[in-house]
Amino acid sequence: MSKERARRRAEREAEQERARAVRARRVTRRERRRSLVRRLTPSMRRGRTGRLRRHTRRERATILVLTVVAVVAIWNLVDDLALRLVLVVLLLLVLPAVVVIALDRR
């Protein structure tokens, strides 16, 4: 009886060892594949990049709405076409500085 149990235990252990070897090969193959994909895909920066902070969706919407209102006001209040164009270009050039000054929280 003990010889039979020893034989079954040996068979079980051999089967477990084969399963471990198969699992180890799968894990090795998966890790190799992942490292290859990591090397081939371009790395993208996540989070904050650059010196200026990012604005919330509400702030961006406010900036856009106020800019459109200013452009519409320029087109409605100024008669000369050349002056309209100069004012709109000037507004678009000065807008980033105004945004930084108005929304700076430092």
Side-chain angles (χ1 to χ4, degrees):
M1 189 67 140
S2 68
K3 286 184 182 180
E4 180 67 25
R5 274 189 270 145
R7 184 182 61 76
R8 282 187 271 162
R9 184 175 64 233
E11 287 175 359
R12 252 192 338 264
E13 288 174 355
E15 181 62 34
Q16 288 173 350
E17 187 59 38
R18 280 192 293 272
R20 272 191 221 108
V22 167
R23 197 174 314 121
R25 282 194 303 269
R26 283 183 188 156
V27 168
T28 304
R29 196 176 320 133
R30 184 182 320 131
E31 289 301 319
R32 215 178 304 134
R33 203 170 33 235
R34 284 182 182 170
S35 69
L36 177 67
V37 167
R38 269 189 234 114
R39 278 185 289 151
L40 292 179
T41 56
S43 63
M44 294 178 57
R45 288 186 179 179
R46 299 187 190 281
R48 292 177 54 183
T49 58
R51 297 177 74 146
L52 298 177
R53 64 178 179 81
R54 292 190 175 157
H55 301 291
T56 63
R57 181 175 290 167
R58 183 177 177 185
E59 289 173 340
R60 288 190 303 249
T62 305
I63 293 166
L64 181 68
V65 167
L66 290 178
T67 305
V68 169
V69 167
V71 169
V72 168
I74 289 172
W75 279 91
N76 284 334
L77 298 176
V78 177
D79 292 330
D80 188 27
L81 179 64
L83 184 57
R84 284 180 184 171
L85 294 176
V86 168
L87 288 176
V88 169
V89 169
L90 185 65
L91 172 71
L92 294 178
L93 286 174
V94 173
L95 183 65
V98 172
V99 168
V100 168
I101 291 169
L103 297 177
D104 194 13
R105 296 181 186 157
R106 288 183 216 164

